[in-house]
């Protein structure tokens, strides 16, 4: 059984509808995105010239181990990086508009209305001292819904959409009265409230038990696919990528080291890091293969390939020269010197 088949056991994935997708134009196109944190220890190279895109009606996964820059990438796109962090270069075009060039007020208008954000920790996204009802009303008021009656009806409908049976009880309560799964449903309802065309979810099921994780991810996917929305889904879990995503972006040390369709990247991974991530997936009857070593120091950022110190195939140019991207005809791309080396030997 291939790694991809193993991941897909008893899982289904809906096809990406092609209809209505304008030629040659992506919904989100991130290019050269670079974010630094100016800390007492030095300049942290958190996100380094990141390029990727999301098309209409597709779910794109972002994977990579802890600290590789997934959250900083999406926070950069959403204008949520705070000092000492700063986006120092790049563009993030959403429907052709560069989000990085917008004012704070313009971005706030777009967030919520056109881009829904589901944060990693639902309790950090909810106000602990404000009733849930008031939090819904505030989001709607910020986007022009001033009637209390309408705000109430829409909040109830949004909670019903995420499977909350007693919406009034939830609306009258506070965040601390909710379980983790319920809190995440409330945050999803808030993110979807204004019917955004694009959803960004940062590890939306961290800390939830496996059954609830599955329920929440199924719910998010249904809401995204039903309305032909698009989604960027950040996750640690390649199993989640295999089940829920159409394409995947693999990050390492703040760089995109591989991207392509889920079938290509998980079925025929090009980068040794992606190969190692796939080998580290637990499989029944097979010994666990741990990914050894650590991410490089993001202050003293390595020259050449950032994975070189952990790579079993590293050879002469890897420590000196940044690998050029290798791209197949279908657009599967990875940054590694090995294919060029094999080509040269042939
Ligand atoms: N406020 C900050 N100050 C300094 N460095 C930071 C700050 N926030 C993030 N970083 C740096 O950016 C890097 C990327 O962090 P990020 O939160 O994007 O990782 P991640 O891939 O989302 O990890 P996780 O899977 O654990 O959520 C971190 O390794 C850290 O060095
Ligand atoms: Mg994160």
């Amino acid at each position: 059984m291939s790694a991809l088949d193993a991941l897909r056991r008893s899982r289904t994935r809906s096809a990406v509808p092609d209809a209505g997708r304008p030629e040659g134009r992506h919904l989100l196109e991130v290019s050269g995105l670079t974010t630094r944190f100016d800390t007492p220890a030095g300049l942290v190279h958190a996100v380094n010239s990141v390029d990727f895109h999301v098309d209409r009606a597709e779910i794109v996964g972002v994977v990579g181990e802890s600290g590789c820059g997934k959250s900083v990438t999406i926070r950069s796109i959403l204008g949520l990086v705070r000092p000492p962090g700063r986006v120092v270069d790049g563009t993030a075009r959403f429907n052709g508009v560069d989000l990085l060039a917008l004012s704070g007020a313009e971005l706030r208008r777009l967030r919520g209305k056109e881009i829904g954000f589901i944060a990693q920790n639902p309790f950090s996204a909810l106000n602990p001292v404000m009733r849930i009802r008031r939090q819904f009303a505030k989001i709607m008021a910020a986007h022009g819904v001033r009637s209390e009656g309408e705000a109430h009806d829409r909040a109830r409908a949004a909670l019903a959409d995420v499977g909350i049976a007693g919406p009034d009880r939830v609306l009258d309560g506070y965040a601390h009265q909710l379980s983790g799964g319920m809190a995440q449903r409330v945050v999803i309802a808030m993110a979807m409230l204004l019917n955004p065309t694009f959803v960004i979810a940062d590890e939306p099921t961290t800390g939830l038990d496996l059954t609830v994780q599955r329920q929440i991810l199924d719910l998010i996917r249904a809401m995204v696919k039903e309305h032909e929305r698009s989604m960027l889904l950040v996750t640690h879990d390649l199993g989640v990528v295999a089940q829920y995503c159409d394409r995947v972006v693999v990050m390492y040390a703040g760089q995109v080291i591989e991207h392509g369709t889920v079938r290509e990247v998980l079925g025929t991974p090009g980068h040794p890091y992606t190969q190692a991530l796939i080998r580290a997936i637990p499989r029944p009857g097979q010994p666990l293969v741990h990914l050894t070593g650590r991410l490089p120091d993001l202050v003293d950022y390595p020259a050449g390939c950032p994975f070189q110190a952990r790579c079993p195939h590293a050879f002469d140019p890897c420590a000196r020269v940044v690998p050029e991207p290798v791209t197949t005809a279908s657009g599967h791309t990875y940054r590694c010197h090995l294919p060029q080396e094999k080509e040269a030997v042939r």
Side-chain angles (χ1 to χ4, degrees), residues 20-29 53-56 93 96:
R21 186 181 301 169
E23 277 299 313
R25 198 166 143 213
H26 305 302
L27 177 68
L28 175 74
E29 186 154 12
H53 65 270
V54 180
D55 281 321
R56 284 168 179 77
R93 296 193 178 279

Side-chain angles (χ1 to χ4, degrees), residues 37-50:
F37 288 88
D38 197 356
T39 71
L43 207 55
V44 179
H45 293 57
V47 174
N48 302 297
S49 203
V50 157

